[in-house]
């Protein structure tokens, strides 16, 4: 559905996107993450044709990015959408539908159906200017869907929403992908929620792709040296293990589990057991941890900083 080759964007002497090669399969949910300023939004704008690339090429279902056939396939919701605040929601969506080529006789019905589907049906005749930030996010998604696109490009689609609202939107996206075969390319900073819906992941930093692959493959690749430890004397145990230099990174989460990333897993297993016995601490948990998306992100960005 999306293919880019050496896609690059420069603003003067600054290279915002540096020769990325994307491949997004049709009917999948593909995550696109990275730190602020990594080039995510710039990439999305190039894919939608909102800005031109400086070098390279890209295609949407075989059509060159920025071309009319490519744009007709895309539904786009930016992180900071602009609305006509004096219009009521149903009129706004009907207007956007007409711009996208939907017949006048169908536009209002589609608008009302989408508002109901996104739990905004009770506000169909309310002015958009009175909507909360989260409601505007839902309206932005409705705008992106009004012409039944094959590809959704979503920049922070759950921003400004409460937890139940974010879960609801992610459920809707999963439904679109599984039941309507809509391809979804989305960026989000909430990695724990993104992990629940994505099939594939691309991570970008300083304009370059640093890791990509399907989630099963990425978890397998990043789980081998990540351990989870909890004892009755965490601080003392961690201090002794640290002195032996057996992990390159560690942190303790809110539930007092110590996370350790080690390059010598055999030695670490042995030393943990020895130290627990020597200190007389109670061993509550020790295991190799299945890598989460947040773990993969942390490791990937740490490696980038080292380089």
């Amino acid at each position: 559905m999306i293919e880019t080759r050496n896609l690059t964007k420069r603003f003067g002497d600054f290279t915002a996107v540096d020769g990325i090669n994307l491949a997004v399969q049709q009917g999948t949910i593909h995550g696109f993450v990275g730190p602020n300023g990594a080039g995510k939004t710039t990439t999305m704008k190039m894919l939608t044709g909102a800005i031109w690339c400086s070098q390279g090429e890209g295609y949407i279902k075989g059509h060159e990015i920025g071309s009319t056939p490519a744009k007709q396939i895309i539904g786009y919701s930016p992180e900071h959408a602009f609305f006509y605040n004096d219009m009521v929601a149903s009129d706004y969506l009907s207007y956007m539908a007409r711009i996208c080529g939907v017949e006048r006789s169908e536009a209002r019905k589609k608008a009302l159906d989408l508002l109901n589907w996104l739990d905004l049906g009770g506000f169909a005749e309310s002015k958009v200017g009175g909507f909360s930030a989260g409601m505007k996010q839902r309206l932005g998604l409705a705008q992106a869907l009004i012409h039944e696109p094959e590809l959704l490009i979503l920049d922070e689609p759950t921003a400004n929403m409460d937890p139940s609202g974010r879960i609801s939107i992610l459920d809707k996206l999963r439904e679109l992908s599984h039941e309507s075969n809509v391809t979804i390319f989305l960026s989000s900073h909430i990695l724990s929620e993104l992990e629940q819906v994505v099939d594939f992941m691309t991570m970008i930093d300083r304009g370059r792709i640093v890791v990509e692959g399907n989630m099963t493959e990425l978890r397998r690749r990043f789980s081998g040296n990540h351990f989870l430890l909890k004892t009755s004397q965490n601080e003392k145990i961690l201090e002794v293990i640290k002195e032996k230099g057996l992990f390159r990174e560690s942190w303790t989460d809110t539930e007092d589990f110590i996370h350790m990333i080690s390059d010598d897993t055999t030695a670490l297993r042995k030393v943990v057991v020895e130290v627990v016995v020597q200190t007389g601490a109670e061993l509550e948990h020790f295991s190799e941890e299945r890598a989460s998306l947040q773990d993969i992100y942390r490791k990937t960005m740490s490696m980038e900083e080292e380089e």
Side-chain angles (χ1 to χ4, degrees):
M1 180 58 78
I2 300 176
E3 182 182 9
T4 70
R5 302 169 193 158
N6 195 36
L7 194 67
T8 302
K9 182 61 180 179
R10 301 186 188 91
F11 296 98
D13 295 331
F14 174 68
T15 301
V17 177
D18 192 1
I20 67 171
N21 300 310
L22 278 171
V24 176
Q25 297 181 23
Q26 187 168 351
T28 62
I29 302 180
H30 195 115
F32 191 51
V33 303
N36 291 332
K40 303 184 299 297
T41 296
T42 301
T43 300
M44 289 182 161
K45 287 183 176 180
M46 285 192 285
L47 293 175
T48 61
I51 60 175
W52 295 105
C53 62
S54 304
Q55 185 178 330
E57 54 191 352
Y59 300 91
I60 304 296
K61 203 176 180 182
H63 303 291
E64 188 175 1
I65 54 174
S67 67
T68 298
K71 290 179 180 180
Q72 290 173 333
I73 292 171
I74 298 170
Y76 174 51
S77 179
E79 180 178 4
H80 304 291
F82 175 83
F83 299 96
Y84 299 106
N85 288 331
D86 287 336
M87 294 182 76
V88 300
S90 58
D91 286 348
Y92 168 75
L93 283 183
S94 298
Y95 174 59
M96 297 306 292
R98 295 289 292 125
I99 288 175
C100 293
V102 178
E103 293 295 331
R104 188 182 302 276
S105 59
E106 297 180 25
R108 184 167 178 81
K109 182 181 185 304
K110 285 181 176 289
L112 294 176
D113 286 346
L114 272 174
L115 288 170
N116 285 325
W117 188 66
L118 289 165
D119 302 320
L120 288 174
F123 302 92
E125 303 308 317
S126 300
K127 287 188 176 181
V128 177
F131 280 19
S132 68
M135 291 167 68
K136 286 182 177 179
Q137 286 293 121
R138 290 175 181 269
L139 187 62
L141 179 57
Q143 169 275 134
L145 287 166
I146 196 65
H147 60 301
E148 299 182 5
E150 296 180 56
L151 169 65
L152 274 179
I153 296 180
L154 308 176
D155 196 354
E156 299 291 341
T158 61
N160 304 310
M161 290 186 180
D162 59 29
S164 61
R166 295 199 300 267
I167 292 170
S168 173
I169 291 300
L170 292 174
D171 286 342
K172 300 293 187 188
L173 296 181
R174 191 185 292 111
E175 180 181 336
L176 285 168
S177 174
H178 293 173
E179 296 183 12
S180 302
N181 200 39
V182 175
T183 305
I184 302 172
F185 184 69
L186 77 159
S187 172
S188 175
H189 283 103
I190 308 173
L191 301 183
S192 58
E193 293 178 356
L194 191 63
E195 183 175 18
Q196 299 173 29
V197 296
V198 296
D199 306 301
F200 292 83
M201 177 60 58
T202 296
M203 293 187 181
I204 184 173
D205 189 25
R206 289 171 282 187
R208 297 181 178 181
I209 292 175
V210 294
V211 68
E212 58 186 339
N214 66 59
M215 285 305 300
T216 301
E217 171 193 311
L218 290 176
R219 288 192 184 102
R220 186 183 302 117
R221 190 193 315 175
F222 285 89
S223 288
N225 59 356
H226 190 164
F227 288 83
L228 200 59
L229 173 66
K230 186 175 183 180
T231 74
S232 58
Q233 300 182 42
N234 271 0
E235 291 186 12
K236 186 174 183 180
I237 296 291
L238 186 59
E239 183 180 345
V240 176
I241 298 174
K242 188 174 183 179
E243 289 175 356
K244 296 181 180 293
L246 289 176
F247 57 79
R248 53 184 168 85
E249 187 178 356
S250 71
W251 66 96
T252 303
D253 64 24
T254 56
E255 297 180 352
D256 288 329
F257 281 92
I258 302 170
H259 298 251
M260 295 179 289
I261 299 174
S262 174
D263 293 324
D264 191 343
T265 58
T266 301
L268 179 67
R269 289 189 184 95
K270 182 179 179 181
V271 167
V272 165
V273 174
E274 290 175 350
V275 172
V276 168
V277 171
Q278 290 170 5
T279 58
E282 179 183 346
L283 180 62
E284 298 178 25
H285 184 94
F286 182 47
S287 68
E288 194 169 316
E289 188 177 11
R290 174 179 177 269
S292 67
L293 183 54
Q294 187 167 333
D295 297 326
I296 296 168
Y297 181 89
R298 183 194 296 269
K299 294 179 186 179
T300 299
M301 296 308 156
S302 295
M303 289 187 285
E304 282 294 298
E305 290 172 3
E306 292 172 6
E307 292 176 6

